[in-house]
Amino acid sequence: MLGTIKESIVPAREISTSLLEEHRRDMQEALRLKVELDSIYEAISRTKREIATLRYAGAQGQEITRVTDELGAIVLGTETATNSILAAAEKIDDLSSNLSSRLSGGDQEIAREILDHVISLFEACNFQDITGQRIRKVVNAMRFVEERVHHMIDIWGGLESFKDVETLDDSKPRGEAALLNGPALASDKGVTSQDAIDALFD
């Protein structure tokens, strides 16, 4: 009888030791999972801070779409300026051709030289088309990034869920740099137009 009791105590110890080892392994696995979850949580929090910074810490709280609008304004501005240059160059070309036909000798050579420079102007204005294409590629890439950011915002419950998220270091300009807010976009509200500013100096 005593032998049977001893025999049953030994397996009970082995079972207890086995259970204890299994419990330790489970605890180690749980701790490892907790470290990984903490790391994931920190990555998500950091990403939310980055997104909140993009959305709320920009110039005057504007969204990141402001950047794509600024690039679009560059394309439009260079296109408008190029068209003005081309129109003036065409007028100079016409006047120089007319003048060249009326002149003779050295004066006629000067008129032809003016025509050569006008051709150089036409050639130089080709930059606008190439520059516009490159900027449009950048704008499309930025819109793609913006769409991904909006999608992440929606996943986390919409823009309202970001209002209380702390933004990263304040990137707002200070001192004289804070005074440089222009030029304004055509879509901006409550800003003085360039025409109104020019009128003050007339």
Side-chain angles (χ1 to χ4, degrees):
M1 181 83 171
L2 189 60
T4 308
I5 292 171
K6 283 183 180 177
E7 286 170 9
S8 64
I9 289 173
V10 172
R13 276 189 194 154
E14 289 174 4
I15 290 170
S16 174
T17 304
S18 174
L19 284 172
L20 190 58
E21 284 299 316
E22 190 175 329
H23 181 68
R24 281 185 188 144
R25 281 194 301 273
D26 288 346
M27 285 297 292
Q28 287 174 344
E29 183 66 16
L31 286 172
R32 189 182 66 76
L33 285 172
K34 184 188 180 307
V35 169
E36 287 184 15
L37 286 172
D38 287 346
S39 176
I40 291 169
Y41 176 80
E42 177 54 35
I44 290 171
S45 296
R46 193 169 53 246
T47 302
K48 287 182 93 169
R49 286 194 302 274
E50 294 278 358
I51 291 173
T53 301
L54 281 173
R55 298 292 294 192
Y56 294 110
Q60 300 170 352
Q62 297 289 330
E63 298 180 8
I64 57 175
T65 52
R66 173 88 183 178
V67 177
T68 54
D69 291 342
E70 291 281 359
L71 288 171
I74 290 170
V75 173
L76 183 62
T78 55
E79 189 176 321
T80 303
T82 303
N83 288 337
S84 297
I85 293 166
L86 287 172
E90 285 174 7
K91 188 67 175 169
I92 293 168
D93 187 49
D94 290 341
L95 293 171
S96 298
S97 295
N98 191 355
L99 187 60
S100 178
S101 65
R102 295 179 186 188
L103 299 174
S104 61
D107 292 337
Q108 193 174 42
E109 279 303 312
I110 292 172
R112 283 195 186 118
E113 192 176 337
I114 291 171
L115 285 170
D116 290 341
H117 285 295
V118 169
I119 290 168
S120 296
L121 274 174
F122 286 132
E123 290 170 353
C125 285
N126 286 333
F127 86 92
Q128 194 277 325
D129 186 44
I130 294 166
T131 303
Q133 289 176 34
R134 287 180 175 153
I135 291 176
R136 281 186 189 96
K137 284 181 183 177
V138 174
V139 167
N140 289 338
M142 292 187 70
R143 285 198 175 121
F144 176 81
V145 170
E146 187 181 1
E147 285 171 11
R148 302 287 75 76
V149 170
H150 283 301
H151 185 64
M152 290 176 73
I153 288 170
D154 291 341
I155 288 171
W156 280 318
L159 199 54
E160 289 295 315
S161 66
F162 282 82
K163 283 195 173 177
D164 297 328
V165 175
E166 179 186 344
T167 58
L168 298 175
D169 57 291
D170 189 9
S171 58
K172 291 180 182 173
R174 291 179 174 79
E176 287 185 17
L179 301 175
L180 302 174
N181 297 316
L185 293 172
S187 59
D188 287 346
K189 305 252 188 296
V191 294
T192 306
S193 70
Q194 187 62 49
D195 292 338
I197 293 169
D198 292 342
L200 290 173
F201 296 101
D202 289 344

